[in-house]
Structure formats: structure tokens, C-alpha cells
Amino acid sequence: MCIMHELCIMHMFAPGTVARGDLTTSVLARSFVSEPAFVRARKSVRPNVLVGLLAVTGTVVAMMQTLVVPLVASLPKIFHAPASDTSWIITITLLVGAVSTPVAGKLADMYGKKRMLLACLIPLIMGSVLCALATTVPVMVAGRGLQGMAMGIIPLGISMLHDLLPEDRRPAAISLMSSSLGIGGAIGLPFSAAVAQFASWRMLLWLIVAFAAVMFVLVAWLVPPPSRGIDRRRFDFVGAVGLGCGLIALLLPISRGAEWGWTSTLVVGLFAAAVVILLVWAWWELRASAPLVDLRATGKPVVLLTNLTSILVGFAMYSQMLIIPQLLQMPAATGYGQGLSMLAMGLWIAPGGLAMSIMSPVGARITKRFGPKITLAIGATVLAVAYATLALVMSSLAGLVIGAFVASCGVGLAYGAMPTLILGAVPAHEKASANGLNTLMRSIGTSTSSAVIGVVLANLTISVGGYQVPSATGFLVSFLIGCGVAALAAVLALVIPARKPTRRRVEGALPEESQLAAA
């Protein structure tokens, strides 16, 4: 659309005499007509307000990952249902979030990012109200499913920051927004534990309703007016259904395999179905005129390797969030547990969320100097070193807290670099959907981590007070797995092709104007 706008100006002001690449004439012509929408939107932005608002919104959404974790043991009693039924209250959010995130990204490319961001906040509000009023498991599961539909807000926020901020402000802002996925998960645990302990679990959900409603109003008020989507092709409903079915068939056995049995007919059948469905889906997407996911763009080495690295980093990030809380709460009689309460444990690991936000400007400086692939590799390396250190000091409270903090620093660096790599490798009309797919890759990593670490800790146990608890060997093996996965992520990051400049920037011009000059 921007190129068409340029051509129209050329025709109006200098038909037959203006060369297509003459930026001077183009900019001069623009001074006599209304500015393009992206220029007006960018001029109306207050960068600090926009970054703060979107980062807080992303953090609130990410808190849905750990919001009900402190209630897991109490859910069967609250709803008078078996644990096998109440476990769906956790699982459903993962499944719905995984399916809805790439769909929300594609719709944002079609109809505008602000519209979709507001649309994602609506089910978060509705789902939280439903959960707060729930008296049965099905109602609670329905509410948690609606909450999962909001997970697309984080990749949408990343794309909005890329579109609206000045170029020099983008790296740190995008890094912070991307890290909000981990920040929300880190602070959600102590927040929900504190509210549940001193008030009511229903009050916890009403607070989320209030937060989400305030975010909705502020986004509608402070974010620049929505612009027309740049991808006006028809929505790929077949692709959306196929991707949804394939992801459910993949993630459901990953998340419930330990309960159902990894060799059971149901689990094996679902994995087989996932392979078949996703292969057919890929066949459809490669032939669709307007695919939900552009697999050709996704297959570019930069995008493909970044997404594969994202799976590994997601795995490593979530592993320490599973291991360290258990070590902190493990009975002191084991010799390696700290015997802390849920609230105390949450408070000790809360600084990890702060670490991720602190690393955002640091990562931006590294990216500016050396490129995002180096930032990603450094982040994964820091994460691997943290795991190796944790394996040596897992019986020390100070060692666990410091190790968790260092691991969060690595996650902050890595998470901040991924969107920059993706945004630099995909066309403008695919940015939101490509970011959504990258967020999905991280979710696959966290789901796989939950399954693998769960199997390790469930099979390497000791008896304490008549109960089976994970042994020191189980935790050691888990830390070593996390270290190995993070190290593999660092190696994979280093082989991502470095992005090379393809055109000379015009001094003083906006990024879009430089693109027009190149055209």
C-alpha cells in the first residue's frame, strides 16, 4: 500500500518526470498531501507510555500460566471432583493458548493489531469472571479456556512496538515485551499464593478481572488509533482448523501422558494422529493462496532455526520453574530440601521476574552492537551455566535463589532476541502471525519440558515420612537435562544466518521511507 501511495503522489505532482526511486521528490510531494497512516500513528505515540502499557498487559496475560498453581492441591476439595478432572483446569489454558495464538496473529495482520489486542482482552475478562463464579469443574474449565485465548496478546504487542516506535527504541522495548511471557510466569506464582493465603481464591480472579478491564480501557485510550490491516486476503479457515486439531493431538498427550501412560493406546494414537494431521495441514498451507502460516517464509533458515532454538529455550526456561520451586518446598529432612511454604517459595523466586526486565536494555545493547543471534546465543549460554551451577549448589537456599536469578537473566536475553530475528526475516504482512508462531514454539518447548522433567522426577524418588518424593538424583538429572538443552540452544543460535543489510538507509528518513527509496 505504501508503494502504491508513493506512485500516486508521483503521478499527481510530476507525471512523466519523476523517477521511481527519487525519494527527494516523493518526500516533497508528501508535504502537500496528508501523511501516510503509519507516519501519523508513529507521531502520536508516547513511547514510554506505549511500552509500559503493553508490557504490563503482557505480564498480566502471562500470569495465567501459573495463576492457579497454588490451588492445584485444593482444587479437588473445592469442586468435589477427582484430581483427574480438576487437572483440566491447568491443561485447557495451555491447549487453547497454543491454538489461538497463531490465529490471533493472522487476524491482526488482516484487520489491525490494536483491534485484535482489544479482542483478546475480552475473553480474558469474561473467562476470569466465569472462573470467579464457578462452582463446578466444567464451568471453571470453560473460564480457563477463555483466559487462554488472551495469550496472543504478547506477540501482538511485539508487532505493535515494532510498527509504532522509533527504530532506536525498538530493541529494548521488544525485548521487554517478549520477556513479559517469563516475567508473568515468575511473578504469578507468589502473587496468586499471597492472595490465596490471605484472602480467597475467588478474590484472586476478581483482581484479574479488574486488571484486565483497566488494561482494556487504557489500550483503547492510549494506543494510537487502529490502522487498516495490510493483509486483506481471505482468512484460511481450513488451515486454522487443521492447525488446531494437530496441536491438540500433539500437546494433549504431552501434557497428560504421565497420567494416561506413555505407552497407552490413547497416547500413542494421539501422537500418530498429530503427525498425520500436521502433514496434511502443511500440504494444504503450501497450496493455499492465503495460508494461515506462510510455510515458505517459515522455512527460511533464519526463521526456522530461530523457531527451533525457541523450542529449546522454552524447554530450558520452564524446567527451572518446575525444579527450583519443588526443591524450595521439599522437606528439610531430605537433606536437600528447604522446607519453605508456598508463599515463601514464591517470594524467593520472584526476583527472577525482575531479572528478565533488567536484562531487556542490556540485551538491546548487545543486539545493537553484535546482532540478535549473538544475544540469543549469550542468553542460552548464561542459562546453561546457571543450570550447571544449580546442579552443584542445589542443597543451598542462597545457591538456588542466585541460580534462579542468573537463569532468568539468560531467559531475558534469549527471549528478547527471538522476535528481532523473526521480524527481520519476514515480510510486513506476516509479522504478527510470524511472532504468534514463534510464541507457539516456546509453548511447545514448555509443554515438552513439563512432560520430560515430570517423568524424571516421578521415576527417581525416595520415601520420606511414608511418601514418595523426588530424590536428589532426580533433581540432579533434571538440572543436567536443562543444562544440555540450553547448551544445544546456544549452538543452534550461533548457526543462524546473520542478517546482512540489503540496502543503504537514507539518512534522516523513516524506515518505511528508506524502503520506498529502495523500491
Side-chain angles (χ1 to χ4, degrees):
M1 179 173 289
C2 294
I3 293 177
M4 291 300 298
H5 182 66
E6 172 107 0
L7 294 175
C8 289
I9 293 173
M10 292 176 182
H11 177 73
M12 290 171 59
F13 288 89
T17 62
V18 180
R20 188 165 178 251
D22 190 346
L23 179 64
T24 303
T25 305
S26 175
V27 173
L28 178 63
R30 279 186 204 162
S31 66
F32 296 96
V33 296
S34 60
E35 293 175 313
F38 67 82
V39 177
R40 294 196 303 272
R42 185 170 293 172
K43 286 184 176 180
S44 67
V45 167
R46 287 176 283 180
N48 292 335
V49 173
L50 181 67
V51 173
L53 175 58
L54 292 180
V56 171
T57 303
T59 300
V60 171
V61 169
M63 287 172 62
M64 299 305 105
Q65 299 174 105
T66 53
L67 187 69
V68 298
V69 169
L71 303 174
V72 168
S74 304
L75 289 174
K77 181 179 179 181
I78 291 172
F79 292 106
H80 307 289
S84 59
D85 289 345
T86 59
S87 63
W88 283 101
I89 295 173
I90 304 292
T91 305
I92 191 65
T93 308
L94 164 69
L95 295 177
V96 174
V99 172
S100 63
T101 296
V103 173
K106 185 62 177 181
L107 291 174
D109 285 330
M110 294 177 65
Y111 300 109
K113 299 176 181 67
K114 179 178 178 178
R115 291 187 181 95
M116 280 310 301
L117 195 151
L118 292 172
C120 287
L121 282 171
I122 293 173
L124 176 59
I125 297 171
M126 294 173 58
S128 300
V129 170
L130 203 59
C131 289
L133 298 174
T135 57
T136 64
V137 171
V139 175
M140 187 72 175
V141 169
R144 289 283 292 163
L146 287 171
Q147 288 179 332
M149 294 178 67
M151 293 305 296
I153 284 177
I154 294 174
L156 290 179
I158 292 170
S159 298
M160 291 181 71
L161 292 173
H162 180 271
D163 291 347
L164 296 174
L165 290 182
E167 190 170 9
D168 61 329
R169 294 291 303 270
R170 292 178 193 167
I174 289 174
S175 177
L176 179 61
M177 187 69 200
S178 179
S179 298
S180 68
L181 187 63
I183 295 171
I187 69 174
L189 194 59
F191 172 77
S192 56
V195 174
Q197 179 169 329
F198 296 109
S200 162
W201 67 273
R202 296 187 187 275
M203 178 60 68
L204 172 66
L205 290 157
W206 285 120
L207 286 174
I208 296 299
V209 172
F211 287 154
V214 170
M215 292 300 104
F216 184 93
V217 173
L218 291 178
V219 168
W221 178 29
L222 297 176
V223 174
S227 59
R228 180 182 174 90
I230 57 178
D231 186 353
R232 304 305 296 174
R233 297 174 296 176
R234 187 174 58 183
F235 182 71
D236 181 14
F237 286 101
V238 174
V241 172
L243 180 61
C245 293
L247 289 175
I248 290 173
L250 174 65
L251 295 176
L252 192 56
I254 289 177
S255 60
R256 305 300 296 274
E259 177 186 344
W260 293 343
W262 291 106
T263 58
S264 66
T265 302
L266 179 58
V267 169
V268 174
L270 284 171
F271 277 130
V275 172
V276 173
I277 293 172
L278 291 175
L279 286 175
V280 173
W281 172 79
W283 175 85
W284 170 267
E285 293 295 281
L286 288 171
R287 286 157 179 76
S289 58
L292 178 73
V293 177
D294 187 344
L295 293 181
R296 290 181 176 84
T298 304
K300 293 179 179 178
V302 172
V303 180
L304 178 61
L305 291 173
T306 301
N307 282 333
L308 291 176
T309 307
S310 298
I311 295 175
L312 298 176
V313 173
F315 183 106
M317 182 276 292
Y318 202 65
S319 294
Q320 55 98 14
M321 292 182 68
L322 292 170
I323 301 167
I324 295 176
Q326 292 191 60
L327 272 171
L328 292 175
Q329 295 179 90
M330 199 65 59
T334 60
Y336 51 87
Q338 302 301 317
L340 300 181
S341 66
M342 171 68 76
L343 178 58
M345 175 275 297
L347 293 175
W348 276 112
I349 65 174
L354 178 63
M356 294 185 198
S357 61
I358 290 174
M359 296 312 294
S360 297
V362 176
R365 292 189 185 97
I366 297 173
T367 296
K368 183 177 181 180
R369 177 67 178 85
F370 300 103
K373 64 173 282 185
I374 300 301
T375 308
L376 178 55
I378 292 174
T381 302
V382 171
L383 190 52
V385 171
Y387 270 113
T389 304
L390 284 165
L392 299 174
V393 299
M394 67 180 187
S395 60
S396 165
L397 175 59
L400 288 173
V401 172
I402 294 173
F405 187 87
V406 174
S408 296
C409 290
V411 172
L413 289 172
Y415 270 26
M418 293 172 192
T420 304
L421 284 163
I422 296 294
L423 289 168
V426 298
H429 67 276
E430 293 284 346
K431 290 188 183 298
S433 55
N435 267 314
L437 184 64
N438 182 252
T439 302
L440 170 61
M441 295 300 106
R442 302 188 217 178
S443 296
I444 291 175
T446 59
S447 302
T448 307
S449 170
S450 178
V452 172
I453 300 301
V455 168
V456 171
L457 295 181
N459 285 278
L460 297 174
T461 63
I462 60 173
S463 179
V464 177
Y467 294 94
Q468 293 295 312
V469 298
S471 65
T473 302
F475 286 115
L476 177 61
V477 170
S478 298
F479 279 134
L480 293 178
I481 291 173
C483 179
V485 170
L488 180 58
V491 173
L492 198 58
L494 289 175
V495 301
I496 296 174
R499 190 176 67 178
K500 298 178 181 179
T502 56
R503 58 181 177 271
R504 181 177 59 85
R505 285 288 305 271
V506 179
E507 185 176 358
L510 291 171
E512 290 81 359
E513 290 170 340
S514 296
Q515 294 174 14
L516 290 173

